[in-house]
Each structure stands twice: as structure tokens, then as C-alpha cells.
Amino acid sequence: MDGLPGREDALTPVARRAAFLDVDGTLIRITSLFRFLAFDLRLSGAPPSRYEELLAEVRSLKAAGAPRERTNRAFYRVFAGRPAEELAQRGELWFREEESLPGLFNLRVLERLEEHRAAGAAIVAVSGSFPPCLAPIARRIGADAVICTRPEVRDGRYSGEVPVPMIGDQKARAVHRFASVHGLDLAECHAYGDDESDAPLLAAVGHPCAVGDRPALLRLAAARGWPVLDG
């Protein structure tokens, strides 16, 4: 078990509409994968230089123009061979530490989620991150479902392979599947994202909202008439 609320393919219908939200940079002010990696390496006794070495590999792919789907896959290879249960437990410890620090959540986004919940909408996190990071976050915000990257697990261990990185267009496809399965009217749904790669997710719903101040997304929001929420 990965500890997540209902998955996109296994959720009892909860509402006729939903608020879909990206997590890193939108709901929380950090990048969960990078922070979790640093935490995991620290608990494993790795030298601080190991974190920089691993990030340098990802940065080199980005500098070479690799799409985010490829860098996402490369990142998860770091966890190849690790027991899924061990990483799930470390995810709980990691979140406990992060939540003890000020400013983890974007309070404006949390306020919006409470408004959507009060109006009867389902809360659905949509993220390129993975279950060890997302399970405690989803529980904290009372998410009804989580759509995320799910690295392959074989015999209880991560294989290092990622069937579907939940990035870019994949987010929009997953939201359309979710809406079809659960009878949601996407024209009545909301979505929140902070990066240009979230544009397909935002465009999938009738009420998109850009979060933060990234220039590429702000230009797109201005061109399409999307509202902007401070990040």
C-alpha cells in the first residue's frame, strides 16, 4: 500500500466537480522530490556532495534540452532497488520535518481549497511527485484522490522504471480519465498550477487559475484570460 487516498482508477464517486491542483510550487512552496532526496540521503549517511552529484545529472539533461518527462524518469532511477515500504516511512518522517518549518504551504491555495470543499467539490492532487512524498501531504489537506507519478515496484522494491511520468500532457490526460470515470463535468471544475508545464492541466477545466509569478505561465495566463493567484 502506498498510503494515498483514492487513485484515479479506484475512487468512489465523491462529487460532480473537482478542484485539481499541482503540488510542488502550487500547493507547497518547495519541490518535494528534491527535498525528500536530500532528507533520504541524510538519513542514509551519504555525504552532502552526493546530493549535488545526483542533481547535477538531472541538470545536465535539462541543459541538453531533455523534456521534463525524461528528467523525471532519470530522477526516479536514484531509488532503484529501494524497498517501497522504507521510502513510504521516510516520507512520513520527511513531511513531519518540513511541516515543522514555517511557510511550507501556500495559504492562498489552501483557502481556495477550503472554499471548493465547502461547495461540495472533490479535492484532487495532480503531481509529478511520487507516493512517499504525496501521501502525508494529501492526508494533511484532506485530498479525495491523488493522481501522480507511480514508479514501478517489483517484489516490494522500486525498479527504477517509470511507466508514466505525470508531467505536462499526461496530467491533462489523467484528469480527463478521472472525470470520465467519476462523472465529473470538467467545465465546472477548477485547476491550479504554477508552471508552464501545467498548462495542459489548466486548459482541461472550465476554471483554470495560474499560481505564482513565473513569466512563461503569466504570459500564457494573460493571453488566455486566466486569473492569477499569488504564489
Side-chain angles (χ1 to χ4, degrees):
M1 299 294 291
D2 56 26
L4 291 175
R7 295 172 56 160
E8 60 180 288
D9 57 355
L11 178 69
T12 301
V14 290
R16 295 294 299 173
R17 59 187 181 278
F20 298 97
L21 69 151
D22 171 61
V23 176
D24 294 345
T26 301
L27 173 65
I28 59 176
R29 300 178 185 275
I30 61 175
T31 302
S32 62
L33 285 177
F34 292 161
R35 293 285 277 258
F36 174 77
L37 175 60
F39 178 87
D40 179 60
L41 289 171
R42 174 157 52 89
L43 257 61
S44 299
S49 59
R50 180 58 179 152
Y51 175 76
E52 290 302 327
E53 290 170 5
L54 293 171
L55 256 61
E57 296 174 13
V58 175
R59 291 192 188 106
S60 67
L61 286 173
K62 292 178 67 174
R68 290 190 67 182
E69 290 85 350
R70 185 180 171 192
T71 60
N72 190 257
R73 280 193 164 99
F75 181 92
Y76 285 114
R77 283 197 288 272
V78 172
F79 300 114
R82 298 288 298 280
E85 184 59 31
E86 177 190 37
L87 290 184
Q89 292 172 358
R90 290 199 173 184
E92 297 293 334
L93 295 174
W94 163 77
F95 180 71
R96 195 178 307 163
E97 180 175 283
E98 292 287 0
E99 197 174 24
S100 71
L101 303 174
L104 174 61
F105 286 95
N106 183 334
L107 298 183
R108 297 288 301 282
V109 173
L110 285 181
E111 290 172 0
R112 289 289 183 90
L113 293 186
E114 289 307 311
E115 292 171 3
H116 293 310
R117 196 191 321 276
I123 306 301
V124 183
V126 186
S127 176
S129 191
F130 73 146
C133 296
L134 295 172
I137 294 173
R139 208 165 47 245
R140 165 65 174 78
I141 66 169
D144 296 287
V146 175
I147 299 171
C148 68
T149 300
R150 294 178 183 272
E152 184 181 61
V153 176
R154 298 177 188 165
D155 298 323
R157 294 177 180 269
Y158 284 103
S159 70
E161 299 300 318
V162 178
V164 181
M166 196 55 62
I167 300 291
D169 289 337
Q170 291 294 347
K171 288 185 175 182
R173 295 189 186 102
V175 163
H176 277 283
R177 286 197 302 270
F178 187 95
S180 177
V181 168
H182 303 297
L184 304 181
D185 181 359
L186 286 177
E188 296 298 322
C189 292
H190 292 72
Y192 298 85
D194 74 297
D195 188 84
E196 187 179 16
S197 65
D198 294 319
L201 166 65
L202 298 176
V205 302
H207 302 281
C209 182
V211 178
D213 58 2
R214 293 189 177 181
L217 184 59
L218 290 181
R219 288 193 294 271
L220 187 60
R224 299 190 181 185
W226 295 346
V228 177
L229 190 67
D230 290 343

